[in-house]
Amino acid sequence: MDMVTHPILIVGAGIAGLWTALKAAPHPVVLLTGSPLGDGSSTGWAQGGVAAALGPDDSAALHARDTVMAGDGLVDETAAMVLASAGASEVCALYDLGAGFERTQDGGWSLSREAAHSVARVARMKGDQAGAGILAALIKAVREADHIEIRDGWRAEALLPDQTAGCAGVLARDPEGALHPIKARQTVLATGSIGGLYAVTTTPWTSQGQAMAMAAALGAVIRDPEFVQFHPTAIDIGRDPAPLATEALRGDGAVLVDRNGHRFMPDVHELADLAPRDVVARAVHAQNLSGKGAFLDARAAIGAAFPDHFPAVFKACLSGGVDPRTDPIPVAPAAHYHMGGIETDLDGSTGVPGLWAVGECACTGVHGANRLASNSLLDGLVFGHRTATAIKRAPARATSAGDAEAPPALPDDALQSLRAAISAQAGVIRDDEGLSQLLSLIDALQAKHGSAPALIAARFLTVGALQRKESRGGHCRTDFPARQALAQPTRLRLDDISIASVKPRQAGAA
Ligand code: SIN
């Protein structure tokens, strides 16, 4: 057991956790990563790249405006401006670290266009290699950094409370399965997504919203948990998780067609295949439901260049028996990104003393109801950097760690039934009846297995979705198809979602 109290403890090793750790220098950091460094985070699977105002036709104001527009009324505009203003310098810093973004012959940046961006703005690496390339550069830097101690295979199970109603570190399980308190003055959660709660997801299935459950237990607010982004073009070859076909393919001219080759997006939105992601996801979902099918046709736009220009997508297609040079790629929407999460300010503070959150598990409000494409890696960089700076400036805290218990684990059969129900009832299309059924299933699983973190995270998602009686961004209710005039964030604490406090469905409700 650690007798020391570490100055900074970071849980999670995707782009947000690693960048925060690097930027915390020279302060000593302990970095916990449940999977071996490089595995288990969505960052390495990201394909498109990093959105930033790098081109001559672009500006931070334009990038912020596109971010606000995509977020469908719920984006915090200050957060969007903070994100966009820091974009170019963060990409340059990553490039200087060794991330091999493509450059043009005249020293500019080779930029992709993605959905709902007014201009080409996504710094890319060999078509679909951005996430892998960035992660490799970050891991090399973290391994070389003297101030960072990496604990591979250590999984945080709960937060340690302290005497000030704050956080004093984590209870962690070591690679052999033993539990240890690890005490820290400042604890940063950077554990990523909730995609693993869905049966169809593009994220690692181990990402099940654990950070929300841990932070809520210490009193943190969970904001906008109902807002999940579904990527419209997961490759539909029955794999779990589902491989992604990056939006950059559509940026390069690939089009969505039905099984007869008819392009369906021009009938749906003026931006056609490059409409906002939530719009395209619903259209693809409707095509598949109707039996007409949805396929990404890259034959004319990319064709023989596919293996060279998009090697990861090419390999994934071949693994499912699809050759994208000659065949349209079958696609379906898959859970891809959580816009909601642990509420923080723009410096990563959760409001719980000593507890910070960054990256996908956090919610600054910057993504609103629908994240703009390729803003997620940028979010990890910008808010990770700001969080590290704020922690370095924070006054020293005296902490006295209390006890915490490891939460119960959810058996695999229960997890799989939960995942199937969440995909069916809290997916691209939702209604009161389906969400209420989902909540009943969560109640039953919780009664049987206790308050496993996946169930607590699922509860936040479902209660938020039931309470939001409108359709906005990634949240589409068939029983409430209109958008309310006033966009209001959802804010829930643990007490608001406990079994006793969840209001039963009202008789006569739609
Ligand atoms: C993609 O490459 O289509 C995904 C990028 C993102 O999630 O923003």
Side-chain angles (χ1 to χ4, degrees):
M1 158 165 165
D2 279 10
M3 300 308 289
V4 291
T5 298
H6 300 283
I8 305 174
L9 174 64
I10 298 179
V11 183
I15 192 168
L18 297 177
W19 201 235
T20 307
L22 288 168
K23 295 294 173 185
H27 294 226
V29 170
V30 172
L31 180 74
L32 300 194
T33 156
S35 310
L37 201 54
D39 293 346
S41 105
S42 307
T43 299
W45 297 5
Q47 294 184 350
V50 186
L54 293 159
D57 54 350
D58 205 358
S59 67
L62 192 56
H63 183 185
R65 196 200 70 176
D66 289 348
T67 300
V68 170
M69 293 298 289
D72 205 3
L74 213 55
V75 169
D76 178 313
E77 295 192 14
T78 308
M81 203 55 211
V82 163
L83 181 84
S85 303
S89 63
E90 295 294 349
V91 171
C92 291
L94 253 192
Y95 183 79
D96 291 343
L97 198 74
F101 293 108
E102 288 171 29
R103 307 298 298 256
T104 55
Q105 291 203 328
D106 60 0
W109 302 86
S110 183
L111 301 171
S112 307
R113 174 108 189 256
E114 290 187 6
H117 287 275
S118 322
V119 295
R121 174 183 288 142
V122 180
R124 59 195 275 168
M125 280 184 222
K126 204 164 165 45
D128 58 19
Q129 297 292 298
I134 290 168
L135 194 59
L138 288 172
I139 287 176
K140 182 167 181 295
V142 163
R143 286 202 197 284
E144 287 169 1
D146 290 338
H147 71 287
I148 302 174
E149 178 198 340
I150 302 163
R151 295 203 188 170
D152 251 329
W154 285 64
R155 189 167 293 283
E157 297 262 343
L159 298 175
L160 301 177
D162 80 355
Q163 75 288 2
T164 63
C167 178
V170 305
L171 181 68
R173 202 174 283 285
D174 72 18
E176 278 75 49
L179 286 167
H180 306 263
I182 303 179
K183 291 182 276 177
R185 294 190 202 295
Q186 312 292 350
T187 301
V188 183
L189 294 174
T191 59
S193 168
I194 62 164
L197 292 177
Y198 283 82
V200 186
T201 178
T202 61
T203 70
W205 70 269
T206 45
S207 300
Q208 295 163 7
Q210 293 91 339
M212 281 199 298
M214 287 195 277
L218 276 202
V221 172
I222 303 303
R223 177 166 168 181
D224 294 339
E226 65 274 30
F227 286 109
V228 176
Q229 181 167 78
F230 299 92
H231 198 292
T233 59
I235 305 173
D236 192 9
I237 49 174
R239 264 173 52 186
D240 177 21
L244 187 67
T246 175
E247 210 159 88
L249 287 157
R250 279 176 280 139
D252 279 6
V255 290
L256 285 158
V257 296
D258 66 16
R259 67 178 76 261
N260 296 319
H262 171 70
R263 286 187 63 191
F264 53 86
M265 280 312 299
D267 300 334
V268 175
H269 195 279
E270 60 189 4
L271 293 173
D273 300 275
L274 289 177
R277 206 170 263 182
D278 56 326
V279 175
V280 185
R282 282 192 291 278
V284 168
H285 179 71
Q287 285 291 126
N288 283 333
L289 268 189
S290 73
K292 291 181 191 153
F295 300 82
L296 187 61
D297 190 347
R299 291 175 297 180
I302 298 154
F306 213 117
D308 191 41
H309 287 192
F310 294 95
V313 181
F314 185 69
K315 196 168 155 210
C317 287
L318 288 192
S319 78
V322 177
D323 184 339
R325 293 170 297 190
T326 52
D327 308 318
I329 307 165
V331 291
H336 181 65
Y337 190 84
H338 195 205
M339 275 75 74
I342 304 160
E343 184 169 62
T344 69
D345 65 14
L346 300 183
D347 293 318
S349 171
T350 65
V352 174
L355 183 64
W356 311 73
V358 287
E360 192 172 345
C361 72
C363 180
T364 57
V366 74
H367 305 302
N370 178 43
R371 174 177 62 81
L372 185 67
S374 288
N375 265 357
S376 51
L377 296 176
L378 183 62
D379 173 318
L381 294 172
V382 172
F383 294 109
H385 193 160
R386 291 177 66 94
T387 300
T389 305
I391 289 175
K392 288 197 279 188
R393 289 187 186 142
R397 295 178 68 236
T399 58
S400 154
D403 291 332
E405 276 184 18
L410 198 58
D412 192 56
D413 58 341
L415 177 63
Q416 297 313 334
S417 66
L418 179 71
R419 294 179 77 204
I422 290 182
S423 268
Q425 314 296 8
V428 176
I429 302 291
R430 305 160 173 191
D431 64 16
D432 184 279
E433 193 182 343
L435 290 166
S436 299
Q437 278 171 17
L438 176 56
L439 199 53
S440 302
L441 174 73
I442 297 169
D443 287 348
L445 291 173
Q446 213 169 332
K448 188 163 174 197
H449 303 290
S451 295
L455 293 174
I456 299 300
R459 242 183 145 74
F460 274 115
L461 163 65
T462 310
V463 172
L466 267 169
Q467 289 186 358
R468 185 169 290 278
K469 295 186 178 354
E470 64 166 345
S471 292
R472 181 185 296 279
H475 173 73
C476 177
R477 293 269 309 243
T478 51
D479 47 354
F480 293 100
R483 210 171 74 136
Q484 284 178 4
L486 188 62
Q488 283 186 314
T490 301
R491 290 194 166 90
L492 296 170
R493 291 183 193 269
L494 199 55
D495 283 351
D496 302 320
I497 62 150
S498 63
I499 294 182
S501 67
V502 174
K503 295 185 187 52
R505 188 178 171 206
Q506 286 166 3

